[in-house]
């Protein structure tokens, strides 16, 4: 598979690849071969806008003007506040515990706190265990989310592995409990997938997590050739999270297990394409594309027997114009399924460009797309910060060592307000032209 590439705006060229924790994977695409003219216009405008890099990140600007000392004091204040949150995890009040969990979740997503967490790893593990065991609904969901973030912070080292192994049985227990809150089960599915991806070193742990996640969404697919089961709307989020976590683990699954998974799931997953949930349909489509990618890596001339029927279903979703669906859902669905259809039919995955600070990350495979999306879902707006500073993510995506630039270099990269104005004007003009062409095409059709 192709690996992601990183480019620095300071010094052009590919950054040195570090040893990745998992095989480089897949591409994500926002472009398509066919579809409505408004989608083409939106895609063209988006690609035009993304061509101009943001040369100076917010973090970089904070370093200018001697504000590094302020950042250090902010970090100390944050850690002092988090000490209180850790203590509050064992409070008798469920509301207090939930508030502490939410505070921890936000802090771990936006900052790196490895030393602070290493000193309190056992305390946190014990507190999260009690929250998962005795908590209900929202508290279990927040505890699972914090666990996933702890795995991202601690990485694949001994502490991270110990934390995941201690709480893995509880995650599986809540996930498999049909009487538990769907929200709690959904977050446990995501935490199980992410934790296993980051911290599990034993293949048997990987296989058991795959089996557990597969069991959650497979019942809704029915058997091969039979109709899919009717899924309550309250469980759509759970099935989507389990399917996405399962797909994430497929990116590090040994090839000896991939063949069995292909034989078992490739005929069944297309049944989820008819789900009432747009998110579940998209998750199923991306999982199918990932399975095709893995199959072609194992066998270059891989042929799927029911390809014609599958492509028919994908084509229907790629051109869906049903008015009862929300406009934004139709647009997102068409864009993704055009990319899935193009790839399944034998096409190439198109690159997605992610710009952060002075660097650029290229995602050029479906597996890499799944990995990036999994981390983005848990980190949210902190994704770019972690891409810049988290060694785990930089290792996974082959970004090399963390860039260390002095104030002079950062100031040299800073663009003037007039240059920003020119760029914004050019982007606006390109977007207007793209939309005008789309309006002209619609006029011709009418």
């Amino acid at each position: 598979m192709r690996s992601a590439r990183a480019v620095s705006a300071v010094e052009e060229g590919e950054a040195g690849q570090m040893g990745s924790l998992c095989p480089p994977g897949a591409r994500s695409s926002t472009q398509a071969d066919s579809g409505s003219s408004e989608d083409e216009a939106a895609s063209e405008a988006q690609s035009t806008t993304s061509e101009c890099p943001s040369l100076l990140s917010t973090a970089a600007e904070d370093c200018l003007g001697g504000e590094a000392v302020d950042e250090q004091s902010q970090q100390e204040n944050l850690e002092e506040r988090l000490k209180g949150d850790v203590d509050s995890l064992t409070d008798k009040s469920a509301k207090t515990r939930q508030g502490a969990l939410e505070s921890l979740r936000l802090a771990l997503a936006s900052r790196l706190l490895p030393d602070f967490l290493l000193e309190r790893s056992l305390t946190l593990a014990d507190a999260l265990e009690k929250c998962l065991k005795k908590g209900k609904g929202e508290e279990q969901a927040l505890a699972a989310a914090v666990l996933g973030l702890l795995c991202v912070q601690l990485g694949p080292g001994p502490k991270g592995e110990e934390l995941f192994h201690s709480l893995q049985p509880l995650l599986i227990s809540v996930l498999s409990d049909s009487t538990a809150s769907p929200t709690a089960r959904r977050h446990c599915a995501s935490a199980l997938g992410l934790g296993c991806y980051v911290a599990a070193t034993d293949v048997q742990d990987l296989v058991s997590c795959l089996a557990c996640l597969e069991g959650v969404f497979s019942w809704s697919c029915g058997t091969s050739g039979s109709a899919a089961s009717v899924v309550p709307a309250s469980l759509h989020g759970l099935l989507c999270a389990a399917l996405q976590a399962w797909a994430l683990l497929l990116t590090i699954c040994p090839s000896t297990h991939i063949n069995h998974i292909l034989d078992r799931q490739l005929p069944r997953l297309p049944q989820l394409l008819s789900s009432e949930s747009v998110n579940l349909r998209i998750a199923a489509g991306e999982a199918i594309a990932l399975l095709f990618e893995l199959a072609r890596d194992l066998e270059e001339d891989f042929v799927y027997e029911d390809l014609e029927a599958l492509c028919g279903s994908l084509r229907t979703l790629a051109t869906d114009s049903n008015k009862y669906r929300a406009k934004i859902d139709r647009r997102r669905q068409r864009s993704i399924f055009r990319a899935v259809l193009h790839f399944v039919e034998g096409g190439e995955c198109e690159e997605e460009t992610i710009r952060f600070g002075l660097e650029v990350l290229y995602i050029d495979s479906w597996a890499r797309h799944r990995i990036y999306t999994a981390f983005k879902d848990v980190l949210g707006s902190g994704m770019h910060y972690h891409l810049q500073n988290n060694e785990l993510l930089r290792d996974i995506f082959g970004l090399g060592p963390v860039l260390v630039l002095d104030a002079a270099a950062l100031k040299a990269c800073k663009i003037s307000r007039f240059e920003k104005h020119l760029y914004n004007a050019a982007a606006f003009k390109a977007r207007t032209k793209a939309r005008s062409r789309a309006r002209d095409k619609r006029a011709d059709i009418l």
Side-chain angles (χ1 to χ4, degrees), residues 256-277:
T256 52
H257 295 275
I258 291 294
N259 282 322
H260 299 297
I261 293 173
L262 287 170
D263 294 339
R264 186 170 62 251
Q265 288 298 335
L266 199 51
R268 303 173 69 185
L269 281 178
Q271 297 178 39
L272 293 178
L273 297 177
S274 59
S275 169
E276 296 178 359
S277 167

Side-chain angles (χ1 to χ4, degrees), residues 99-122:
L101 286 168
E102 177 65 11
S103 179
L104 280 170
R105 185 188 68 82
L106 294 174
L108 296 180
S110 60
R111 289 288 179 183
L112 278 175
L113 302 161
D115 295 335
F116 176 86
L117 297 175
L118 284 172
E119 293 175 0
R120 297 164 179 81
S121 59
L122 292 178

Side-chain angles (χ1 to χ4, degrees), residues 196-386:
C196 183
Y197 178 86
V198 172
T201 56
D202 188 358
V203 174
Q204 192 55 44
D205 287 336
L206 172 62
V207 173
S208 65
C209 290
L210 278 169
C212 178
L213 293 165
E214 189 173 329
V216 173
F217 69 81
S218 287
W219 68 269
S220 63
C221 299
T223 58
S224 180
S226 66
S229 303
V230 178
V231 180
S234 61
L235 296 181
H236 285 161
L238 167 63
L239 298 184
C240 184
L243 180 56
Q244 290 175 331
W246 176 77
L248 173 65
L249 296 185
L250 286 184
T251 63
I252 57 173
C253 187
S255 58
T256 52
H257 295 275
I258 291 294
N259 282 322
H260 299 297
I261 293 173
L262 287 170
D263 294 339
R264 186 170 62 251
Q265 288 298 335
L266 199 51
R268 303 173 69 185
L269 281 178
Q271 297 178 39
L272 293 178
L273 297 177
S274 59
S275 169
E276 296 178 359
S277 167
V278 63
N279 291 328
L280 187 53
R281 291 196 300 272
I282 288 174
E286 292 178 340
I288 290 170
L290 175 59
L291 286 176
F292 268 81
E293 182 174 78
L294 296 174
R296 288 169 183 167
D297 283 343
L298 294 176
E299 184 181 348
E300 189 174 349
D301 299 327
F302 170 76
V303 177
Y304 179 54
E305 293 180 358
D306 295 330
L307 182 62
E308 186 175 347
L310 175 60
C311 288
S313 299
L314 295 174
R315 192 173 290 108
T316 299
L317 292 169
T319 57
D320 184 12
S321 60
N322 290 319
K323 298 299 182 183
Y324 65 85
R325 302 195 199 279
K327 185 175 181 180
I328 189 172
D329 288 344
R330 293 201 307 269
R331 182 173 298 173
R332 186 162 65 100
Q333 176 181 285
R334 285 196 299 259
S335 175
I336 291 174
F337 277 100
R338 284 198 303 265
V340 172
L341 175 63
H342 178 66
F343 182 77
V344 167
E345 288 181 330
E348 290 291 327
C349 284
E350 298 170 7
E351 281 187 348
E352 180 181 359
T353 303
I354 310 295
R355 299 185 183 277
F356 57 100
L358 303 177
E359 299 172 275
V360 180
L361 171 65
Y362 297 99
I363 298 176
D364 57 2
S365 64
W366 285 104
R368 191 62 74 182
H369 168 69
R370 175 87 292 275
I371 297 166
Y372 177 83
T373 304
F375 280 100
K376 184 178 179 181
D377 287 343
V378 71
L379 294 171
S381 59
M383 182 65 179
H384 285 185
Y385 172 83
H386 280 266

